[in-house]
Amino acid sequence: MEKKELNKLLNMIAKYKYFTDEKRDKIFSYLEEYKEKEPFYYHKNIGRICALFGPLDMAITHLNTAKELDETNPSVYYELYKCHIKNNDFESALDNLTACIKADGGVHNFELPIMMLRSLVDMDLDSSGMDSLDILRLVQENISYYFDDFRQKLS
């Protein structure tokens, strides 16, 4: 599959969250041809798909590999931050969001999401009554407030 068509498909899946095991396997097979010739592209996109639909440990593994291949790409840190929120690992989420900001070069204002994550690092999640998806939604809403087009620019 041509890379341009594959990018459209990947963005559509991420936007509409429409996915089946059959579609996942097909996407993975399309991406397989990029494993050797464009390893960053391969690992970033396998990580993105797994970040959305699981398994999270596979997402984190591929995203960390992508990060090793290109430490300047903010979208990798952004995807890792979301994975760590889902895993209730707020310290790692904060580290990755901080790295995302650094890689972003100050284009977007992350002050409120960073403050929220710092609070979550110190908060006892069990007594908060919130689960990781509630927290991810809350942080995402605040991030979206500051930059609606962030994902589009990073994809």
Side-chain angles (χ1 to χ4, degrees), residues 4 8 11 19 25 27 42 44 50 64 71 77 80 92 95 99 103 115 139 141 144:
K4 185 176 180 177
K8 283 182 186 178
N11 287 329
F19 213 60
D25 293 343
I27 296 276
Y42 169 80
K44 178 184 122 176
C50 292
N64 277 326
E71 294 179 357
Y77 294 105
L80 279 165
S92 294
D95 291 344
M115 287 179 0
V139 174
E141 287 170 12
S144 294

Side-chain angles (χ1 to χ4, degrees), residues 18-74:
Y18 172 70
F19 213 60
T20 62
D21 289 344
E22 182 181 317
K23 285 191 184 287
R24 181 198 62 222
D25 293 343
K26 190 174 277 192
I27 296 276
F28 283 2
S29 71
Y30 292 149
L31 284 168
E32 193 66 32
E33 78 176 79
Y34 295 94
K35 188 174 186 177
E36 296 299 321
K37 64 182 177 181
E38 293 186 51
F40 172 79
Y41 180 80
Y42 169 80
H43 288 289
K44 178 184 122 176
N45 285 297
I46 293 285
R48 281 181 62 203
I49 296 297
C50 292
L52 286 169
F53 304 103
L56 280 178
D57 59 334
M58 186 175 173
I60 291 169
T61 298
H62 280 279
L63 291 167
N64 277 326
T65 300
K67 180 175 72 174
E68 290 171 10
L69 294 168
D70 182 357
E71 294 179 357
T72 65
N73 191 301

